[in-house]
Every structure is written in structure tokens, then in C-alpha cells.
Amino acid sequence: MASYDTAKIDAILAKNEYAEANLLAILQDIQAAEGYLPRPALEHVAKSLGISIARIYSMATFYKAFSLKPRGKHICTVCMGTACHVRGAGRILDKIEENLKIKAGETTKDLLFTVERVNCVGACAMGPVVIMDGETIGNATANKINKVINDIKADSKKS
Ligand code: FES
């Protein structure tokens, strides 16, 4: 197994005074630095603080903001609530999955996109709704969303 660079995690632990009381802040800092909570980083935290890995996992899984899997730079969230579903959200999700060659809940290998599905984001009148990087796109169509995705892909190749 490739070794994990713990220097970044040590800096985060030092900033949070190696205190178990600061565990939430430590996990938030790791998530911000890594984009998710890698298992080796959590094992290192457990060892450094002298606490069990189970304690860390129970906190990491309690808060929805944490992810235990790598997430993409761009998050595409498709609303699959009833109002959006009856207006064709399923087809939009299918087309996005086809374009990115992943299923909802997965991340592309290049870590550019994560696709997620949620139930109702409270904007039913605008349905179907897709949220791309926090921006709500109403009256979504497969073409409209795939154009946004393809533009991001093209931009990422330029940089
Ligand atoms: S069902 Fe999609 S916003 Fe309500």
C-alpha cells in the first residue's frame, strides 16, 4: 500500500492542539485540505490523539458534510423528489451518468465530477432541478446540464 503523507495531518493536529475536544474541527480541516476524509488520515488522527478509530468514524458519519470517499472538484446534484421526478429528472440523471460514465453517488476517475441525487431541494416550482456547484439550475433538461458539464470539461483541459 502506498504510504500516506502525514505531514499535512500533523500540521492540522498541531493547529488544533492535539486535543480530542477539537476533533470536529480537525475533521473539518482534513476535509477542507483533502476534499474528503481518507482512511489513513483518520487512522493517523486516532493514533496521535490516542482515541479509537470507531470514535472518529462515528463523528465522520454523523455529519453529512463529511465524505469518506474522494469527491470531485465539481458536484452535480440531481433532485429526484416527486415533483422533479414526474417532470423527467430520471432521464436527466441517466444522460448525466451516460456522459460522465459513472452512477449517482460516484466520482469520475479524474476527480473532476461527483454526481449525487437528493430528494426535494425546496424549489419544486422550478423542477426539474439540478444543482451544479451550489448553483440551482431550474427547468433543467439533459441537454442543458450536459452542456454545463461539457463546458467544465473543456475548461479543465485548458488549465
Ligand atoms: S422535488 Fe425537486 S425541488 Fe422539490
Side-chain angles (χ1 to χ4, degrees), residues 14-88:
K15 181 184 147 211
N16 290 287
E17 296 156 353
Y18 284 84
E20 186 184 344
N22 294 335
L23 184 56
L24 183 59
I26 291 168
L27 297 186
Q28 282 167 336
D29 287 350
I30 296 173
Q31 169 100 13
E34 303 278 345
Y36 75 113
L37 301 176
R39 167 114 197 162
L42 299 186
E43 281 167 355
H44 185 66
V45 171
K47 216 182 331 150
S48 305
L49 300 187
I51 58 177
S52 74
I53 189 86
R55 157 121 174 74
I56 294 181
Y57 268 96
S58 75
M59 185 174 275
T61 51
F62 180 78
Y63 292 97
K64 247 189 126 204
F66 292 132
S67 173
L68 295 168
K69 287 193 287 184
R71 296 181 93 220
K73 191 167 166 210
H74 301 278
I75 311 292
C76 177
T77 307
V78 181
C79 178
M80 293 294 281
T82 310
C84 288
H85 191 261
V86 296
R87 293 186 196 165

Side-chain angles (χ1 to χ4, degrees), residues 79-85 118-129:
C79 178
M80 293 294 281
T82 310
C84 288
H85 191 261
V118 285
N119 286 323
C120 194
V121 294
C124 307
M126 294 164 67
V129 171

